């Protein structure tokens, strides 16, 4: 089997040396969080060991060095996304980014305005908008998705034209099904209407490495931990004029120009959205993740993931009683399936006894599950560090699990 250079990259991830109950780990849950290469682990360790200081505060050498290193990573993610550094705000993750944007855009929403989402969204891209709608009297409408969970682009564009939404907020790729949405086409439709476009990139940053200038969205959110970086860190891109015009969301130290008891003035974006001591070690670790990714040929990583994904789809489709959900033709390498009427928890629990880590449940997409008429699925999600052996082990374990359940 042609394993390509990604086979070597697996050795960069120390977690794969771990055995669980004497079985090597078969990690198929990268949509939840990716594993970390030793470069990232080392960068975080080194920061705490020899560089630890607060940023933007001290005149002492260590603090200045920490500030330079921290701000350099803002530059790196900006370069990765092809935007300007001042358009990047650090947050604690995609969830925090979406909350910040939905809160900030509430100022622009009026009674009856439309916020357009899709049934594919993660709860993090639903609830902040529900709260914004409650605050403002705006209403949420949904893009059309078929019974398989696939966005219907033609009807979606027609709906955008007829509803003229104030905001469109959609995922670039579905976390539950892996479908890649044609967000460029949706953004194109919104441009004609001055609709503000927000792209939830939690599942696309690693797999699709988008060029945001080309995509031309107004906002894009991401989580570092889904792209080899540490947990508790994420960020957002905002087109500068729009970003800078958003109101302050949370307040405190470092984001101000002046404070007195008669009033406070704020710094411009991105600082005005970053109160308090940030996740400095997380940012440093994410910098190492970005360096690692930027040194690799993205196309070959993507092709490797796609080849594994196609094998997985073929082998799963050959098993009687398996129902695969979503679009398997445009997908970031995540497959969601059900087996007859068996409960997904039973399947996942039995798979776990084989050392297979998959996710089961509603994947924080309860409205999508309701739309599909199911409670949940088993989700297998790949990253470039997976290999054919992982797929073989998973399929063998699944067949074993099914025969146990059928006994
Ligand atoms: C599509 C999508 N959006 C938002 C989130 C929330 O990300 P976080 O939990 O890192 O804030 C996730 C996490 O699974 C996701 O997959």
């Amino acid at each position: 089997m042609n394993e390509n250079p990604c086979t070597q990259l697996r050795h960069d991830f120390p977690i794969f040396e771990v055995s669980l109950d004497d079985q090597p780990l078969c990690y198929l849950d990268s949509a939840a969080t990716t594993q970390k290469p030793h470069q990232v682990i080392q960068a975080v360790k080194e920061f705490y060991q020899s560089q630890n200081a607060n940023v933007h505060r001290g005149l002492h050498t260590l603090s200045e060095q920490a500030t330079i290193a921290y701000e350099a990573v803002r530059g790196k993610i900006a370069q990765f996304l092809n935007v300007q550094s001042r358009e990047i705000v650090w947050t604690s993750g995609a969830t925090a980014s979406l909350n910040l944007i939905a809160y900030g855009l509430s100022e622009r929403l009026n009674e009856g305005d439309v916020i357009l989402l899709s049934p594919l969204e993660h709860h993090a891209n639903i609830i902040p908008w529900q709260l914004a709608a409650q605050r403002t009297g705006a209403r949420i409408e949904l893009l059309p998705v078929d019974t398989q969970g696939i966005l219907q682009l033609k009807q979606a564009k027609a709906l955008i034209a007829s509803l003229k939404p104030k905001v469109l907020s959609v995922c670039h790729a579905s976390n539950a099904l892996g479908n890649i949405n044609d967000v460029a086409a949706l953004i194109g439709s919104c441009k004609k209407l001055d609709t503000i476009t927000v792209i939830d990139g939690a599942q696309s940053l690693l797999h699709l490495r988008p060029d945001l200038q080309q995509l031309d969205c107004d906002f894009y959110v991401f989580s570092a931990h889904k792209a080899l970086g540490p947990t508790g860190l994420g960020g957002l891109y905002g087109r500068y004029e729009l970003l800078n015009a958003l109101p302050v969301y949370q307040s405190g130290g470092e984001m101000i120009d002046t404070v007195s008891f008669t009033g406070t003035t704020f710094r411009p974006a991105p600082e005005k959205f970053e109160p308090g001591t940030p996740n400095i070690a997380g940012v440093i670790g994410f910098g190492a993740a970005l360096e690692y990714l930027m040194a690799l040929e993205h196309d070959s990583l993507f092709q490797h993931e796609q080849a594994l994904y196609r094998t997985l789809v073929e082998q799963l489709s050959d098993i009687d009683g398996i129902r695969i959900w979503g679009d398997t033709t445009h997908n970031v390498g995540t497959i969601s399936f059900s087996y007859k009427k068996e409960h997904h928890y039973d399947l996942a629990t039995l798979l776990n006894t084989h050392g297979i880590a998959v996710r089961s449940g509603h994947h924080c997409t309860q409205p999508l599950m309701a739309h599909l008429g199911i409670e949940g699925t088993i989700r297998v999600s790949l990253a470039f560090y997976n290999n054919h052996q992982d797929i073989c082990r998973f399929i063998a374990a699944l067949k074993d699990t099914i025969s146990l359940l059928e006994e």
Side-chain angles (χ1 to χ4, degrees):
M1 194 79 66
N2 179 14
E3 278 281 17
N4 102 16
C6 293
T7 316
Q8 281 308 315
L9 299 178
R10 188 173 169 100
H11 299 301
D12 291 334
F13 292 78
I15 196 98
F16 294 118
E17 284 151 34
V18 167
S19 291
L20 296 169
D21 299 326
D22 289 334
Q23 301 181 86
L25 171 67
C26 180
Y27 189 74
L28 299 171
D29 196 16
S30 292
T33 196
T34 57
Q35 295 302 343
K36 321 302 172 201
H38 64 76
Q39 288 86 340
V40 169
I41 299 166
Q42 193 58 26
V44 173
K45 187 174 162 213
E46 264 173 31
F47 174 75
Y48 281 127
Q49 220 159 47
S50 54
Q51 300 151 4
N52 182 47
N54 212 330
V55 293
H56 299 143
R57 284 160 168 81
L59 272 182
H60 62 83
T61 306
L62 218 49
S63 174
E64 277 187 357
Q65 284 174 351
T67 304
I68 291 167
Y70 172 85
E71 285 303 328
V73 183
R74 198 191 301 275
K76 259 179 220 155
I77 181 67
Q79 185 191 343
F80 194 83
L81 295 170
N82 193 20
V83 295
Q84 301 170 41
S85 296
R86 64 178 188 157
E87 295 176 313
I88 300 291
V89 176
W90 292 121
T91 66
S92 64
T95 302
S97 301
L98 286 162
N99 274 279
L100 189 158
I101 296 167
Y103 176 86
L105 290 179
S106 296
E107 271 201 348
R108 293 173 176 248
L109 293 170
N110 295 308
E111 179 102 35
D113 283 346
V114 171
I115 302 166
L116 194 53
L117 308 178
S118 91
L120 292 161
E121 301 315 312
H122 188 282
H123 296 164
N125 196 26
I126 297 175
I127 306 164
W129 298 111
Q130 281 179 332
L131 296 175
Q134 277 166 24
R135 278 193 297 273
T136 61
R139 69 176 206 276
I140 289 174
E141 296 279 350
L142 297 176
L143 291 170
V145 162
D146 71 7
T147 51
Q148 180 65 12
I150 304 173
L151 186 75
Q152 301 302 289
L153 189 60
K154 212 169 139 199
Q155 289 103 298
K157 286 163 88 175
L159 190 71
I160 291 171
S162 75
L163 286 176
K164 299 183 180 47
K166 264 277 169 64
V167 177
L168 169 86
S169 189
V170 286
C171 56
H172 199 171
S174 151
N175 68 300
L177 310 179
N179 302 359
I180 301 170
N181 291 323
D182 188 349
V183 286
L186 298 175
I187 293 165
S189 299
C190 289
K191 286 282 153 208
K192 301 169 198 152
L193 305 165
D194 280 339
T195 300
I196 296 172
T197 51
V198 181
I199 303 300
D200 177 352
Q203 297 294 334
S204 70
L205 184 73
L206 176 68
H207 302 287
L208 303 178
R209 212 180 281 189
D211 178 326
L212 297 190
Q213 296 234 14
Q214 256 178 33
L215 207 54
D216 209 14
C217 54
D218 295 311
F219 293 97
Y220 178 92
V221 309
F222 59 90
S223 287
H225 71 96
K226 292 184 197 284
L228 315 186
T231 51
L233 176 74
L236 65 91
Y237 152 79
R239 192 186 298 283
Y240 195 74
E241 299 67 40
L242 260 176
L243 177 67
N244 198 34
L246 293 185
V248 161
Y249 176 52
Q250 287 180 328
S251 54
E254 279 310 303
M255 40 88 77
I256 50 86
D257 266 333
T258 60
V259 181
S260 75
F261 282 104
T262 52
T264 294
T265 56
F266 301 105
R267 289 193 187 171
E271 287 90 351
K272 74 171 178 177
F273 300 114
E274 295 181 358
T277 299
N279 183 353
I280 308 166
V283 169
I284 301 293
F286 189 42
L290 291 170
E291 257 170 42
Y292 181 88
L293 287 172
M294 288 198 270
L296 299 172
E297 174 68 39
H298 174 65
D299 276 357
S300 72
L301 301 186
F302 186 69
Q303 293 313 325
H304 172 70
E305 285 174 0
Q306 290 292 300
L308 290 179
Y309 178 72
R310 280 191 298 275
T311 308
L312 185 59
V313 172
E314 273 164 31
Q315 300 205 1
L316 263 181
S317 309
D318 280 348
I319 301 175
D320 259 4
I322 294 282
R323 163 114 199 227
I324 298 172
W325 300 94
D327 184 355
T328 54
T329 58
H330 297 92
N331 198 292
V332 288
T334 292
I335 194 159
S336 239
F337 67 92
S338 320
Y339 175 70
K340 295 185 181 167
K341 295 265 177 261
E342 296 294 346
H343 201 282
H344 44 89
Y345 286 156
D346 295 337
L347 281 153
T349 306
L350 288 168
L351 285 168
N352 185 46
T353 63
H354 294 263
I356 313 278
V358 293
R359 172 104 183 245
S360 69
H362 54 64
H363 318 297
C364 295
T365 56
Q366 283 185 5
L368 175 62
M369 296 298 128
H371 177 85
L372 300 177
I374 52 181
E375 262 181 51
T377 68
I378 295 280
R379 184 186 72 181
V380 174
S381 52
L382 303 172
F384 63 84
Y385 43 65
N386 287 116
N387 58 21
H388 277 280
Q389 211 191 340
D390 289 331
I391 307 294
C392 295
R393 272 189 66 197
F394 165 70
I395 293 289
L398 181 65
K399 286 183 175 164
D400 196 69
T401 297
I402 285 174
S403 58
L404 254 177
L405 289 169
E406 294 290 341
E407 265 174 17

